[in-house]
Amino acid sequence: MFLVHAFSHAVTLAIIITVMAEEKTCDLLGEREQESSKEVALMNRLKPLFNQSFETESKNGDGQYIYRLRICREVFNNMTNSGLVQISKIDNKQKVIGRINETHLANGTSWILLIYQGGDPYGSHCTQEDRKALVMIICNRTTLATGFTMVAEEREKIKQCSYVFELESSLACPLEELHHNVHRHLSIGSILLITFSSLIAVYIIGGFLYQRLIVGAKGMEQFPHFAFWQDLGNLVADGCDFMCRSRPQNVPAAYRGVGDDQLREESEEQDDHLLPM
């Protein structure tokens, strides 16, 4: 009987620990399985950001603050459902700007709007209503998430005051564009060109290092197989000269004036038959 009682307590404790260890996530408007299918799809789209934390600083008229954001996760476990928290750099006082249990999501062509409501109430502004955070996630194809900044705090109105933030992420880009980038492949010609260029670069760099460091060549002799490429260049030049030149190859020499040297040589040759045999 004692063993059964102990086993029952152990199972209960394990269940409690499991429930406590499970992180809370965004709670959309509506009962479970009755939420907006569009908002559920957007929340699933943002899942790659769930394990990340973002932080930015901003200086307002009455102080300087640090803002810490998590997407559909609690910033601090001791602050229930805290999705975005303001921390004063003067006295380290913390206030919840928005909670993940009051989450709304909307999107456009290249942006996703994340709204956290139910924050700590204002002290003397906005008729002491609850704070609210609007996080505009903007398309940036080059990064999963970066550029978390505070844009403005609107608290001069009677109601509907809010904190506005920006975050850049590729998850906000159009889905068609993301699929195109994922499935985009290089053509065969591009692959061959890249391979050929890489081989040429390896040949030139490797040959240059070998000629310089091992053979001890200097100047143009450092180029790999310099004599071969020089001869090849001469052959190519001769081929171009043969194929492309319009002037005939065997042209009779132009008339040249007769000089004294030529006359002297010719007269000597003509006098040879006068000599006695």
Side-chain angles (χ1 to χ4, degrees):
M1 188 69 180
F2 174 77
L3 292 176
V4 173
H5 188 68
F7 178 76
S8 177
H9 274 284
V11 171
T12 304
L13 182 61
I15 294 174
I16 293 174
I17 293 174
T18 302
V19 172
M20 291 179 64
E22 184 179 357
E23 284 193 281
K24 295 182 179 180
T25 188
C26 287
D27 187 4
L28 303 173
L29 182 64
E31 298 295 330
R32 183 177 294 274
E33 298 183 356
Q34 294 183 357
E35 305 99 332
S36 166
S37 59
K38 184 176 180 180
E39 288 192 272
V40 172
L42 288 173
M43 186 174 70
N44 292 331
R45 189 168 159 184
L46 295 175
K47 276 187 176 180
L49 304 181
F50 283 8
N51 295 324
Q52 296 194 33
S53 180
F54 306 96
E55 191 173 288
T56 187
E57 293 188 17
S58 179
K59 186 176 182 180
N60 296 340
D62 55 350
Q64 191 167 358
Y65 302 95
I66 297 173
Y67 294 92
R68 190 167 296 166
L69 165 71
R70 293 195 69 189
I71 307 296
C72 292
R73 289 290 185 268
E74 290 180 310
V75 176
F76 298 117
N77 294 331
N78 61 342
M79 303 179 74
T80 306
N81 295 315
S82 56
L84 204 157
V85 176
Q86 179 193 70
I87 307 169
S88 174
K89 296 190 70 174
I90 298 175
D91 55 9
N92 205 35
K93 189 175 182 179
Q94 301 173 352
K95 293 179 181 178
V96 178
I97 304 301
R99 289 185 161 84
I100 62 175
N101 64 326
E102 293 190 37
T103 301
H104 300 277
L105 289 164
N107 74 314
T109 305
S110 58
W111 54 267
I112 297 175
L113 178 61
L114 171 66
I115 303 175
Y116 285 153
Q117 294 181 331
D120 294 340
Y122 284 97
S124 58
H125 301 280
C126 305
T127 61
Q128 298 181 344
E129 69 175 0
D130 292 343
R131 288 175 168 84
K132 177 173 60 177
L134 284 75
V135 182
M136 181 67 72
I137 305 174
I138 305 171
C139 170
N140 185 340
R141 304 178 188 86
T142 62
T143 180
L144 178 61
T146 189
F148 176 58
T149 56
M150 181 181 179
V151 178
E153 177 189 0
E154 178 56 72
R155 63 178 187 178
E156 302 302 325
K157 300 189 295 186
I158 297 176
K159 287 186 176 182
Q160 297 299 320
C161 297
S162 61
Y163 294 76
V164 182
F165 299 85
E166 282 186 355
L167 178 67
E168 298 178 7
S169 173
S170 58
L171 300 177
C173 297
L175 291 177
E176 295 80 6
E177 184 175 317
L178 290 176
H179 292 160
H180 174 72
N181 291 336
V182 170
H183 297 289
R184 182 175 58 189
H185 297 285
L186 292 173
S187 65
I188 297 177
S190 300
I191 295 174
L192 292 176
L193 181 61
I194 293 173
T195 304
F196 183 69
S197 301
S198 301
L199 291 176
I200 291 178
V202 171
Y203 168 75
I204 293 176
I205 297 174
F208 175 84
L209 294 176
Y210 176 82
Q211 291 291 107
R212 182 178 181 85
L213 301 178
I214 305 300
V215 180
K218 301 295 182 180
M220 293 298 295
E221 297 295 332
Q222 297 175 94
F223 193 88
H225 301 100
F226 175 72
F228 167 78
W229 293 113
Q230 194 175 40
D231 292 340
L232 180 62
N234 292 332
L235 290 174
V236 171
D238 292 341
C240 291
D241 182 70
F242 179 78
M243 296 295 295
C244 301
R245 293 291 176 89
S246 60
R247 182 173 63 83
Q249 297 295 316
N250 297 321
V251 179
Y255 173 78
R256 295 181 297 174
V258 179
D260 295 338
D261 296 337
Q262 293 174 321
L263 290 175
R264 187 182 306 111
E265 293 175 0
E266 188 174 7
S267 61
E268 291 176 358
E269 292 176 359
Q270 293 176 354
D271 293 340
D272 289 342
H273 68 281
L274 302 176
L275 295 174
M277 296 300 292

